[in-house]
Amino acid sequence: MSVRILALVGSLRAGSHNRQLAEAAVKLAPEGSDVVLYEGLAEIPFYNEDIDVEGSVPAAATRLREAVGSADALLLFTPEYNGTIPAVLKNAIDWLSRPYGAAALGDKPVAVIGTAFGQYGGVWAQDEARKALGIAGGKVIEDIKLSIPGSVTRFAEVSPADDAEVVGQLTEVVVALNGHATAPAAV
């Protein structure tokens, strides 16, 4: 049985470097695992407890919860918008934190990586995402980190999938997350 790692990308732009990084992760999945890129974050309405009631949950939010529920682990790719996490990714985390006590995110291994134009590669956004994911019930794997700075210049001529250093680092990330997803639960 294959380990299923669901990838969520915090940029909606079709040509975003974080999307390219996620697409590279799909190709680099080790034998015995699949990295699946989730499509549809743009369709999910902003979280509102008034519509998060049985029979009224928007279909897009239900699809996200089901996709996360059937995954063994999550891998989030986030750019940095004004020093923090993009709204679309924060909104997904909010939907995944509910229903309280039975959230789809509940205790799933999750890692956060990404690339950004700045000199630190989006570490502030990644730290904010890890914080939100942990509070929402995810099992944040703190030792899996990858921040790639200078995305606009670094990937101007070369895709992340064609950058040998990035491919090596990304492969390590996917293999490590795969290991956390298959590790037996602590008793």
Side-chain angles (χ1 to χ4, degrees):
M1 188 162 134
S2 188
V3 171
R4 181 180 169 91
I5 299 171
L6 188 66
L8 302 179
V9 179
S11 174
L12 299 179
R13 193 170 59 83
S16 87
H17 296 122
N18 280 285
R19 182 173 182 85
Q20 291 174 25
L21 200 59
E23 290 167 348
V26 169
K27 295 176 187 172
L28 296 170
E31 187 173 330
S33 69
D34 291 310
V35 176
V36 177
L37 183 55
Y38 185 80
E39 303 287 354
L41 290 184
E43 285 77 44
I44 302 169
F46 283 115
Y47 185 79
N48 177 343
E49 202 168 3
D50 290 342
I51 60 173
D52 189 13
V53 293
E54 193 171 332
S56 297
V57 178
T62 299
R63 281 191 299 277
L64 174 66
R65 286 175 173 169
E66 289 171 351
V68 170
S70 67
D72 298 302
L74 296 176
L75 182 55
L76 276 67
F77 296 81
T78 186
E80 189 168 276
Y81 293 172
N82 299 312
T84 193
I85 185 173
V88 70
L89 205 49
K90 176 62 169 72
N91 188 50
I93 294 168
D94 290 344
W95 277 104
L96 293 172
S97 72
R98 304 288 189 174
Y100 183 76
L105 188 58
D107 214 28
K108 281 206 193 283
V110 58
V112 181
I113 65 172
T115 185
F117 178 62
Q119 66 180 341
Y120 302 112
V123 294
W124 290 346
Q126 291 177 31
D127 288 346
E128 290 289 322
R130 286 184 193 97
K131 176 180 136 189
L133 287 159
I135 292 168
K139 181 181 170 189
V140 178
I141 310 302
E142 292 289 345
D143 62 338
I144 299 177
K145 294 184 178 179
L146 176 59
S147 302
I148 305 166
S151 61
V152 172
T153 52
R154 181 165 189 161
F155 302 126
E157 302 292 327
V158 176
S159 165
D162 297 324
D163 182 313
E165 180 183 17
V166 170
V167 167
Q169 294 169 329
L170 188 54
T171 300
E172 290 175 15
V173 163
V174 175
V175 168
L177 185 55
N178 184 65
H180 283 278
T182 59
V187 179

